[in-house]
Amino acid sequence: MTLRLVVLALWLATVSASAQVPLSESLRDDSEDQYHHFDPPVRRVAVIGAGPAGLQYASVLRDEGFNVRLFDRAPGPGGNWFSSRVVPIKASFPDRDVKTGSYTPDVPKDLPRVHEYKEGEDGVSLDARWRDHWNPSPVWEHLTSNSAPFFTSLPETKYPADIEWALPQSAIRRHVRSYASAKGLNSNDEESVNITSYSTRVEYLHKAAGNDVWTAYLRRLSWHGPRLRAEWWAEEFDAVVVTVGYDSSHVPNIPGLASWAQRFPDQVYHSREYRVPEKLGGKNVLIIGASVSASEIARDIAPHVTAFSISIRDHERNTYMQRRSLRRLPPNITHIPEIASFGSIPVNATGIQELNINLLNKTTIRGFDEIIFATGFVRSLPFLADYHNSTIKGREEPEVKVHPIITDGGSLRSLYWTGHYIPDPTLAFKIGRVWTVGTYHALLLARTWKGKARLPNERLRWDGYEGPGGASVFDGGFGTLGEEARNRKLLVHLSTEALKFGGRLVTPWPIEGREQFVYYAEHAWEAGYTRSENFTRWENVPESEWGSGKRDESNVQWIPEEW
Ligand SMILES: Cc1cc2nc3c(=O)[nH]c(=O)nc-3n(C[C@H](O)[C@H](O)[C@H](O)COP(=O)(O)OP(=O)(O)OC[C@H]3O[C@@H](n4cnc5c(N)ncnc54)[C@H](O)[C@@H]3O)c2cc1C
Ligand SMILES: NC(=O)c1ccc[n+]([C@@H]2O[C@H](COP(=O)([O-])OP(=O)(O)OC[C@H]3O[C@@H](n4cnc5c(N)ncnc54)[C@H](OP(=O)(O)O)[C@@H]3O)[C@@H](O)[C@H]2O)c1
Ligand SMILES: *[C@@H]1O[C@H](CO)[C@@H](O)[C@H](O)[C@H]1NC(C)=O
Ligand SMILES: *[C@@H]1O[C@H](CO)[C@@H](O)[C@H](O)[C@H]1NC(C)=O
Ligand SMILES: *[C@@H]1O[C@H](CO)[C@@H](O)[C@H](O)[C@H]1NC(C)=O
Ligand SMILES: *[C@@H]1O[C@H](CO)[C@@H](O)[C@H](O)[C@H]1NC(C)=O
Ligand SMILES: *[C@@H]1O[C@H](CO)[C@@H](O)[C@H](O)[C@H]1NC(C)=O
Ligand SMILES: *[C@@H]1O[C@H](CO)[C@@H](O)[C@H](O)[C@H]1NC(C)=O
């Protein structure tokens, strides 16, 4: 009896002691000003881009009660996987400024405005105007995925049970479209008429100083029989999610190249414009580049061409995807060194066959019928003109008036790990691998904007900023420790905030999937790429011991965050 009373008394003493924290102390612990307050509250949200990411963000935000608008410049949902035989408009040689890389924003003074284009108006055909507007996807007819179905799928959406690991691009297209339909976001879904706006390019996104609303300036093109109609208008939003990836083709600025590409545009082009191998039948083709597009196009054209060569820069390639690409090159492709310059154009030139190509090893070669630049992409996002600063190079972070989001077309800047633009978190960007965590990240944005998940104040967000493109442990593609660390942080954050404010708990990627992935990666990517333990590696290690700070630039395992 006595003992129990003593225990009870001790227990009561402990409880009351912990309850007797001075008021100021408790205020400091749970102090509101550590956190950001969305005032006015976020109600209307724009999602820019209806790829696998944007579809998930629009669907989650709508279901969480926001008034959502989803814009895509393409005529339907799917993003990269809205693939077709329509050939994208020719890449610019040389690259345009990053700021207008993917298009030059078109915002008339008087809004709204309607105009019907005539064939050949301003020297532009209707067909070219249409393709320039929506920028068809880079995906070619025979492309297959370099990721397996079980980690290239959207929630509640299935692939046929017996589908092969290397997914035909058309299977991914159908998969993403069926997700869009299931969520009522497809181009012909009646219930989405007030949500989706396809063939609608965001031209300019602007928030005036001291203002609370974002204004999106929009342009939609539509065919009316043989006529092409353009409509321009503006809409206002409390918050915006950008789910646009690399939107512009990149070509190297090799001396002499631009004049040849302009003179013979059908013979010199970017991998984005490659569609079918039959077109290259009987030709001698040169591919420039050493990555996935280069090796996969080489494999596709191998049986059709009479000869083919590849120009690869001479340096070590440290990522598994780079090594895999080199291994996948057809063994009978001719390797040539990096190109130093292209010769001048003879006045009587009739094609690039007469083009002298000067190699870095001082040899000159010629005789190619077509040259394909598989030299990658940049992120241009011209609608974010207010947040571009191209004078900033590499990873430098100078004093600035406006914290830039885009500098050289590579990694995005000034973003917190949650994807929010640090100076104004009503603007957010997709983070993580869209197939794996897109829905969870969308949920995080929804809860943050509803006040059901906390976001640190601006000073704390800058304190936690790891530099352009994230850094340190939050690097890497699927199955890397970095990716797993980020996913873990995202899931744990969602669940701890749900514990405090309510909301359903989220579950990690299924444990069975880990074993399957290790097996897949071993065979399809590279032996020893990852181990099952890499997925659980952080489980017994507190975040404070994950390590952070500078990434080791000498051994950068950089994988595009798209992946
Ligand atoms: C050739 C190629 C092959 C790939 N293969 C694989 C693969 O095998 N496996 C894999 O996992 N990933 C692959 N990827 C990566 C691919 O990007 C992702 O699979 C996925 O599509 C990313 O989805 P997203 O929604 O983030 O972006 P995206 O799919 O790129 O969608 C972005 C959307 O934004 C729209 N948009 C852009 N600018 C504007 C604007 N101003 N206004 C309105 N809309 C705009 C675009 O039209 C597009 O529809 C590949 C990428 C490329 C380029
Ligand atoms: N599923 C598929 O089959 C498939 C197909 C295509 C693309 N993709 C995906 O799409 C994304 C983009 O791939 P990508 O291959 O188009 O682009 P990328 O991975 O960015 O590669 C660009 C290549 O261009 C080369 N390059 C740049 N400038 C050059 C120059 N001056 N001379 C010679 N080479 C130069 C680079 O060479 P260095 O190596 O020397 O830097 C690099 O090899 C990736 O995520 C990829 O996985 C997937
Ligand atoms: C779309 O919005 C209009 C105008 O507010 C409304 O009348 C209509 O019912 C809405 N349609 C749907 C499908 O929600
Ligand atoms: C290269 O080899 C492949 C496989 O043997 C063959 O199908 C193709 O015709 C060859 N291409 C050229 C250009 O030699
Ligand atoms: C330079 O490269 C070309 C193409 O591969 C090759 O034919 C030539 O022999 C090389 N020249 C030298 C000097 O190595
Ligand atoms: C162009 O002119 C040069 C000499 O001036 C000649 O050698 C070459 O064969 C000509 N090319 C064509 C395609 O006529
Ligand atoms: C752009 O960056 C430069 C430094 O490279 C800086 O001086 C300038 O102020 C920046 N512009 C804006 C608008 O912030
Ligand atoms: C998996 O973990 C091992 C051990 O830490 C590491 O060496 C390897 O790079 C990791 N693999 C990936 C893909 O991150």
Side-chain angles (χ1 to χ4, degrees), residues 75-275:
N80 189 60
W81 306 104
F82 186 81
S83 47
S84 73
R85 283 208 174 196
V86 181
V87 180
I89 205 84
K90 240 200 109 52
S92 162
F93 285 80
D95 280 358
R96 307 205 294 182
D97 280 354
V98 171
K99 201 167 181 172
T100 55
S102 137
Y103 58 93
T104 304
D106 174 16
V107 185
K109 280 203 186 65
D110 48 327
L111 290 177
R113 178 166 183 254
V114 178
H115 176 73
E116 223 154 67
Y117 285 107
K118 293 190 187 60
E119 184 60 45
E121 192 172 324
D122 306 322
V124 184
S125 71
L126 291 182
D127 171 64
R129 206 177 278 286
W130 170 243
R131 289 183 294 127
D132 182 52
H133 180 77
W134 73 274
N135 199 20
S137 141
V139 167
W140 57 87
E141 184 95 355
H142 298 150
L143 182 142
T144 55
S145 69
N146 51 9
S147 55
F150 60 92
F151 65 106
T152 312
S153 39
L154 293 168
E156 302 143 42
T157 314
K158 283 196 158 37
Y159 285 100
D162 56 354
I163 198 147
E164 56 268 57
W165 275 353
L167 291 161
Q169 56 88 8
S170 58
I172 309 181
R173 181 175 59 205
R174 285 200 293 270
H175 182 92
V176 180
R177 284 183 79 82
S178 58
Y179 176 83
S181 291
K183 299 295 175 184
L185 297 172
N186 217 328
S187 40
N188 52 359
D189 282 333
E190 181 52 28
E191 71 268 38
S192 80
V193 290
N194 292 338
I195 301 175
T196 58
S197 189
Y198 292 110
S199 298
T200 303
R201 198 169 73 183
V202 179
E203 302 292 324
Y204 182 43
L205 184 69
H206 180 67
K207 184 186 256 191
N211 202 330
D212 291 322
V213 296
W214 291 97
T215 306
Y217 295 86
L218 306 157
R219 182 178 92 156
R220 176 166 53 215
L221 288 194
S222 51
W223 290 97
H224 296 265
R227 290 169 306 170
L228 191 56
R229 181 183 300 163
E231 299 155 83
W232 292 263
W233 77 104
E235 293 188 26
E236 294 194 332
F237 298 97
D238 305 312
V240 179
V241 194
V242 179
T243 53
V244 171
Y246 292 91
D247 54 350
S248 191
S249 305
H250 164 68
V251 295
N253 196 4
I254 303 172
L257 168 61
S259 35
W260 279 94
Q262 284 155 19
R263 175 88 175 265
F264 301 107
D266 296 340
Q267 291 181 283
V268 182
Y269 52 95
H270 187 265
S271 58
R272 183 183 192 112
E273 295 143 50
Y274 172 71
R275 283 295 175 269

Side-chain angles (χ1 to χ4, degrees), residues 140 143-144 146 252 288 290-293 313 315 317 374-377:
W140 57 87
L143 182 142
T144 55
N146 51 9
I288 321 268
S291 189
V292 187
S293 293
R313 295 195 282 201
H315 63 84
R317 291 181 168 76
T375 44
F377 300 87

Side-chain angles (χ1 to χ4, degrees), residues 36-42 420 424-427 448-451 453 455:
H36 186 88
H37 296 277
F38 290 92
D39 182 25
V42 174
H420 294 95
D424 181 352
T426 60
L427 178 61
T448 306
W449 284 333
K450 282 209 275 196
L455 184 72

Side-chain angles (χ1 to χ4, degrees), residues 346-351 354 366:
V347 254
N348 59 355
T350 56
E354 296 138 53
R366 57 200 257 146

Side-chain angles (χ1 to χ4, degrees), residues 6 22 32 47 57 62 94 98 105 240-241 254 286 323 352 453 513 542:
V6 169
E32 286 295 300
V47 179
Y57 287 77
R62 175 200 54 198
V98 171
V240 179
V241 194
I254 303 172
L286 172 61
R323 290 188 294 257
I352 64 158

